[in-house]
Amino acid sequence: MIGYLTGKIISAKPTQILLDVNGVGYVIRISINTFERISGNDIVSLFIHTHVKEDAINLFGFYSEAEKEMFELLISINGVGPKSALSLLSGISTDDLKQAIVTSNVDRMVAVPGIGKKTAERLILELKNKVRDIKEEGITPTEPSLQKEAVSALSTLGYNLASSEKAVNKILSQLQDCSLEELIKKSLKELNK
């Protein structure tokens, strides 16, 4: 089982990177939070969760051990798969998610695309005591991310927070590099389909 990798980034998108480790290319799925923290780096080190299914072996990479631990707690809950867990960690930082679970803040969790009220309530019920063991990342972003700025702009224009996040994340997953203005324009088109 792979637990940690260090290598050179060959290609990167907000939800996935191709990492060259001694001549072997690993496709690793990542959260948008991890993507933001590794952006601008050529060489990165990621904590890895190896997810084995009948028909596939998938690698999920995390910038911090706390994010990996949160991911593993999330997928331990019946009905929450790796895709939903990664979506949740893309829409909310590990520290914020921990806080939302501990304080039973369902609204904060359902604001993330793909997370419904019943799932949020189940996560709170089953993880309230378990998340206390996860260390605080203590990261305060020095500048707002492109994703957060775009979502904020769309919300200011009157669009629903969850719909805005979903549209922005979809556009980010399709584009390698774009300006805030371009991201907002394309997200508006997505929202008005």
Side-chain angles (χ1 to χ4, degrees):
M1 182 185 318
I2 298 170
Y4 189 81
L5 289 173
T6 298
K8 182 177 185 200
I9 297 175
I10 302 300
S11 68
K13 306 190 270 192
T15 57
Q16 176 177 298
I17 65 169
L18 177 59
L19 194 67
D20 178 353
V21 180
N22 298 323
V24 178
Y26 292 93
V27 175
I28 304 169
R29 288 174 172 71
I30 58 173
S31 68
I32 290 175
N33 289 327
T34 291
F35 176 77
E36 290 171 356
R37 292 168 72 184
I38 64 172
S39 291
N41 296 334
D42 290 333
I43 308 279
V44 295
S45 296
L46 297 173
F47 292 93
I48 302 294
H49 171 82
T50 307
H51 189 75
V52 181
K53 294 192 312 186
E54 293 173 4
D55 58 344
I57 297 174
N58 293 309
L59 301 178
F60 294 89
F62 307 96
Y63 186 79
S64 70
E65 200 165 8
E67 189 179 25
K68 178 187 174 192
E69 288 173 16
M70 182 64 81
F71 176 83
E72 289 173 341
L73 276 179
L74 291 170
I75 63 172
S76 72
I77 304 304
N78 191 22
V80 179
K83 197 173 183 180
S84 296
L86 209 56
S87 174
L88 192 54
L89 290 170
S90 290
I92 185 171
S93 73
T94 305
D95 290 344
D96 288 346
L97 180 56
K98 179 179 175 179
Q99 187 65 29
I101 291 171
V102 169
T103 61
S104 302
N105 189 347
V106 173
D107 293 337
R108 177 63 183 109
M109 294 169 69
V110 297
V112 177
I115 303 300
K117 187 174 181 180
K118 285 185 179 180
T119 302
E121 289 170 347
R122 187 175 337 117
L123 289 172
I124 289 167
L125 180 69
E126 295 191 33
L127 297 179
K128 199 167 203 165
N129 295 323
K130 294 179 182 177
V131 295
R132 295 178 197 276
D133 296 335
I134 295 178
K135 293 178 187 152
E136 297 284 322
E137 287 188 308
I139 294 163
T140 51
T142 52
E143 61 181 68
S145 71
L146 187 66
Q147 186 250 9
K148 289 177 183 162
E149 285 185 52
V151 169
S152 175
L154 292 170
S155 295
T156 303
L157 292 171
Y159 289 93
N160 173 294
L161 179 65
S163 301
S164 298
E165 285 180 340
K166 186 175 182 180
V168 168
N169 290 342
K170 182 176 180 181
I171 300 302
L172 281 173
S173 70
Q174 296 170 351
L175 298 176
Q176 287 283 15
D177 190 31
C178 66
S179 67
L180 177 61
E181 185 179 337
E182 183 183 6
L183 178 59
I184 292 170
K185 284 181 183 177
K186 289 185 182 288
S187 298
L188 282 169
K189 283 183 186 174
E190 182 67 29
L191 286 165
N192 292 317
K193 278 186 177 178

